[in-house]
PDB file of all heavy atoms in Angstrom:
ATOM      1  N   ILE A 716     121.085  91.737 102.113  1.00 97.00           N
ATOM      2  CA  ILE A 716     119.815  91.785 102.852  1.00 97.00           C
ATOM      3  C   ILE A 716     120.042  91.683 104.361  1.00 97.00           C
ATOM      4  O   ILE A 716     119.516  92.478 105.139  1.00 97.00           O
ATOM      5  CB  ILE A 716     118.878  90.674 102.357  1.00 97.00           C
ATOM      6  CG1 ILE A 716     118.369  91.054 100.959  1.00 97.00           C
ATOM      7  CG2 ILE A 716     117.703  90.472 103.310  1.00 97.00           C
ATOM      8  CD1 ILE A 716     117.697  89.942 100.223  1.00 97.00           C
ATOM      9  N   LEU A 717     120.853  90.722 104.774  1.00 96.00           N
ATOM     10  CA  LEU A 717     121.010  90.494 106.214  1.00 96.00           C
ATOM     11  C   LEU A 717     121.667  91.672 106.924  1.00 96.00           C
ATOM     12  O   LEU A 717     121.288  92.031 108.036  1.00 96.00           O
ATOM     13  CB  LEU A 717     121.812  89.211 106.469  1.00 96.00           C
ATOM     14  CG  LEU A 717     121.139  87.909 105.995  1.00 96.00           C
ATOM     15  CD1 LEU A 717     122.061  86.725 106.236  1.00 96.00           C
ATOM     16  CD2 LEU A 717     119.801  87.694 106.687  1.00 96.00           C
ATOM     17  N   SER A 718     122.650  92.300 106.280  1.00 96.00           N
ATOM     18  CA  SER A 718     123.291  93.419 106.969  1.00 96.00           C
ATOM     19  C   SER A 718     122.359  94.635 106.964  1.00 96.00           C
ATOM     20  O   SER A 718     122.514  95.555 107.762  1.00 96.00           O
ATOM     21  CB  SER A 718     124.648  93.763 106.341  1.00 96.00           C
ATOM     22  OG  SER A 718     124.503  94.136 104.997  1.00 96.00           O
ATOM     23  N   SER A 719     121.379  94.626 106.088  1.00 97.00           N
ATOM     24  CA  SER A 719     120.367  95.684 106.125  1.00 97.00           C
ATOM     25  C   SER A 719     119.383  95.456 107.275  1.00 97.00           C
ATOM     26  O   SER A 719     119.118  96.351 108.073  1.00 97.00           O
ATOM     27  CB  SER A 719     119.622  95.712 104.789  1.00 97.00           C
ATOM     28  OG  SER A 719     118.436  96.458 104.904  1.00 97.00           O
ATOM     29  N   ILE A 720     118.873  94.236 107.378  1.00 96.00           N
ATOM     30  CA  ILE A 720     117.855  94.014 108.411  1.00 96.00           C
ATOM     31  C   ILE A 720     118.458  93.925 109.811  1.00 96.00           C
ATOM     32  O   ILE A 720     117.769  94.134 110.801  1.00 96.00           O
ATOM     33  CB  ILE A 720     116.984  92.761 108.128  1.00 96.00           C
ATOM     34  CG1 ILE A 720     117.812  91.480 108.149  1.00 96.00           C
ATOM     35  CG2 ILE A 720     116.237  92.912 106.809  1.00 96.00           C
ATOM     36  CD1 ILE A 720     116.966  90.217 108.009  1.00 96.00           C
ATOM     37  N   MET A 721     119.747  93.640 109.891  1.00 97.00           N
ATOM     38  CA  MET A 721     120.377  93.567 111.213  1.00 97.00           C
ATOM     39  C   MET A 721     120.965  94.914 111.654  1.00 97.00           C
ATOM     40  O   MET A 721     121.336  95.060 112.815  1.00 97.00           O
ATOM     41  CB  MET A 721     121.486  92.514 111.217  1.00 97.00           C
ATOM     42  CG  MET A 721     120.965  91.077 111.242  1.00 97.00           C
ATOM     43  SD  MET A 721     119.963  90.700 112.694  1.00 97.00           S
ATOM     44  CE  MET A 721     121.240  90.461 113.923  1.00 97.00           C
ATOM     45  N   GLU A 722     121.050  95.850 110.751  1.00 97.00           N
ATOM     46  CA  GLU A 722     121.652  97.149 111.093  1.00 97.00           C
ATOM     47  C   GLU A 722     120.986  97.803 112.299  1.00 97.00           C
ATOM     48  O   GLU A 722     121.677  98.349 113.169  1.00 97.00           O
ATOM     49  CB  GLU A 722     121.631  98.077 109.868  1.00 97.00           C
ATOM     50  CG  GLU A 722     122.352  99.390 110.063  1.00 97.00           C
ATOM     51  CD  GLU A 722     121.455 100.520 110.539  1.00 97.00           C
ATOM     52  OE1 GLU A 722     120.206 100.392 110.440  1.00 97.00           O
ATOM     53  OE2 GLU A 722     121.993 101.533 111.011  1.00 97.00           O
ATOM     54  N   PRO A 723     119.661  97.750 112.416  1.00 97.00           N
ATOM     55  CA  PRO A 723     119.054  98.359 113.604  1.00 97.00           C
ATOM     56  C   PRO A 723     119.482  97.694 114.909  1.00 97.00           C
ATOM     57  O   PRO A 723     119.410  98.297 115.968  1.00 97.00           O
ATOM     58  CB  PRO A 723     117.557  98.166 113.362  1.00 97.00           C
ATOM     59  CG  PRO A 723     117.425  98.062 111.870  1.00 97.00           C
ATOM     60  CD  PRO A 723     118.642  97.308 111.438  1.00 97.00           C
ATOM     61  N   VAL A 724     119.920  96.452 114.821  1.00 97.00           N
ATOM     62  CA  VAL A 724     120.287  95.714 116.032  1.00 97.00           C
ATOM     63  C   VAL A 724     121.784  95.851 116.308  1.00 97.00           C
ATOM     64  O   VAL A 724     122.193  96.185 117.413  1.00 97.00           O
ATOM     65  CB  VAL A 724     119.899  94.222 115.889  1.00 97.00           C
ATOM     66  CG1 VAL A 724     120.297  93.455 117.141  1.00 97.00           C
ATOM     67  CG2 VAL A 724     118.411  94.080 115.631  1.00 97.00           C
ATOM     68  N   ILE A 725     122.590  95.528 115.309  1.00 97.00           N
ATOM     69  CA  ILE A 725     124.049  95.595 115.461  1.00 97.00           C
ATOM     70  C   ILE A 725     124.612  96.576 114.423  1.00 97.00           C
ATOM     71  O   ILE A 725     125.209  96.162 113.415  1.00 97.00           O
ATOM     72  CB  ILE A 725     124.688  94.190 115.329  1.00 97.00           C
ATOM     73  CG1 ILE A 725     124.082  93.415 114.132  1.00 97.00           C
ATOM     74  CG2 ILE A 725     124.494  93.397 116.601  1.00 97.00           C
ATOM     75  CD1 ILE A 725     124.790  92.088 113.843  1.00 97.00           C
ATOM     76  N   PRO A 726     124.399  97.856 114.658  1.00 97.00           N
ATOM     77  CA  PRO A 726     124.676  98.844 113.611  1.00 97.00           C
ATOM     78  C   PRO A 726     126.145  98.947 113.214  1.00 97.00           C
ATOM     79  O   PRO A 726     126.431  99.080 112.026  1.00 97.00           O
ATOM     80  CB  PRO A 726     124.189 100.160 114.227  1.00 97.00           C
ATOM     81  CG  PRO A 726     124.168  99.930 115.695  1.00 97.00           C
ATOM     82  CD  PRO A 726     123.867  98.479 115.883  1.00 97.00           C
ATOM     83  N   HIS A 727     127.055  98.853 114.170  1.00 97.00           N
ATOM     84  CA  HIS A 727     128.462  99.111 113.831  1.00 97.00           C
ATOM     85  C   HIS A 727     128.983  98.108 112.816  1.00 97.00           C
ATOM     86  O   HIS A 727     129.532  98.485 111.786  1.00 97.00           O
ATOM     87  CB  HIS A 727     129.343  99.093 115.077  1.00 97.00           C
ATOM     88  CG  HIS A 727     128.881 100.008 116.171  1.00 97.00           C
ATOM     89  ND1 HIS A 727     127.981  99.614 117.134  1.00 97.00           N
ATOM     90  CD2 HIS A 727     129.174 101.307 116.435  1.00 97.00           C
ATOM     91  CE1 HIS A 727     127.759 100.622 117.960  1.00 97.00           C
ATOM     92  NE2 HIS A 727     128.467 101.663 117.564  1.00 97.00           N
ATOM     93  N   VAL A 728     128.807  96.836 113.145  1.00 96.00           N
ATOM     94  CA  VAL A 728     129.366  95.813 112.270  1.00 96.00           C
ATOM     95  C   VAL A 728     128.640  95.815 110.921  1.00 96.00           C
ATOM     96  O   VAL A 728     129.245  95.598 109.871  1.00 96.00           O
ATOM     97  CB  VAL A 728     129.361  94.425 112.958  1.00 96.00           C
ATOM     98  CG1 VAL A 728     127.967  93.886 113.135  1.00 96.00           C
ATOM     99  CG2 VAL A 728     130.223  93.444 112.203  1.00 96.00           C
ATOM    100  N   CYS A 729     127.367  96.140 110.926  1.00 97.00           N
ATOM    101  CA  CYS A 729     126.623  96.181 109.662  1.00 97.00           C
ATOM    102  C   CYS A 729     127.075  97.350 108.785  1.00 97.00           C
ATOM    103  O   CYS A 729     127.205  97.206 107.574  1.00 97.00           O
ATOM    104  CB  CYS A 729     125.127  96.240 109.916  1.00 97.00           C
ATOM    105  SG  CYS A 729     124.453  94.657 110.476  1.00 97.00           S
ATOM    106  N   TRP A 730     127.283  98.494 109.407  1.00 97.00           N
ATOM    107  CA  TRP A 730     127.785  99.636 108.611  1.00 97.00           C
ATOM    108  C   TRP A 730     129.169  99.306 108.057  1.00 97.00           C
ATOM    109  O   TRP A 730     129.507  99.689 106.943  1.00 97.00           O
ATOM    110  CB  TRP A 730     127.856 100.913 109.458  1.00 97.00           C
ATOM    111  CG  TRP A 730     126.554 101.646 109.530  1.00 97.00           C
ATOM    112  CD1 TRP A 730     125.410 101.206 110.106  1.00 97.00           C
ATOM    113  CD2 TRP A 730     126.266 102.944 108.982  1.00 97.00           C
ATOM    114  NE1 TRP A 730     124.413 102.146 109.971  1.00 97.00           N
ATOM    115  CE2 TRP A 730     124.912 103.233 109.288  1.00 97.00           C
ATOM    116  CE3 TRP A 730     127.003 103.900 108.284  1.00 97.00           C
ATOM    117  CZ2 TRP A 730     124.282 104.423 108.913  1.00 97.00           C
ATOM    118  CZ3 TRP A 730     126.377 105.091 107.913  1.00 97.00           C
ATOM    119  CH2 TRP A 730     125.021 105.343 108.225  1.00 97.00           C
ATOM    120  N   ASP A 731     129.959  98.596 108.843  1.00 96.00           N
ATOM    121  CA  ASP A 731     131.308  98.281 108.403  1.00 96.00           C
ATOM    122  C   ASP A 731     131.281  97.364 107.181  1.00 96.00           C
ATOM    123  O   ASP A 731     131.946  97.620 106.180  1.00 96.00           O
ATOM    124  CB  ASP A 731     132.076  97.617 109.544  1.00 96.00           C
ATOM    125  CG  ASP A 731     133.570  97.834 109.398  1.00 96.00           C
ATOM    126  OD1 ASP A 731     133.984  99.015 109.424  1.00 96.00           O
ATOM    127  OD2 ASP A 731     134.299  96.842 109.216  1.00 96.00           O
ATOM    128  N   ILE A 732     130.466  96.335 107.261  1.00 96.00           N
ATOM    129  CA  ILE A 732     130.338  95.401 106.134  1.00 96.00           C
ATOM    130  C   ILE A 732     129.715  96.129 104.947  1.00 96.00           C
ATOM    131  O   ILE A 732     130.194  96.046 103.814  1.00 96.00           O
ATOM    132  CB  ILE A 732     129.460  94.194 106.540  1.00 96.00           C
ATOM    133  CG1 ILE A 732     130.201  93.353 107.575  1.00 96.00           C
ATOM    134  CG2 ILE A 732     129.091  93.371 105.313  1.00 96.00           C
ATOM    135  CD1 ILE A 732     129.326  92.298 108.252  1.00 96.00           C
ATOM    136  N   SER A 733     128.660  96.867 105.231  1.00 96.00           N
ATOM    137  CA  SER A 733     127.929  97.541 104.168  1.00 96.00           C
ATOM    138  C   SER A 733     128.801  98.563 103.434  1.00 96.00           C
ATOM    139  O   SER A 733     128.709  98.697 102.208  1.00 96.00           O
ATOM    140  CB  SER A 733     126.696  98.212 104.760  1.00 96.00           C
ATOM    141  OG  SER A 733     126.050  98.977 103.795  1.00 96.00           O
TER     142      SER A 733
END
Side-chain angles (χ1 to χ4, degrees):
Chain A
I716 288 167
L717 296 177
S718 61
S719 165
I720 64 174
M721 285 300 282
E722 186 267 344
V724 179
I725 45 173
H727 306 88
V728 69
C729 286
W730 276 65
D731 206 62
I732 292 168
S733 174

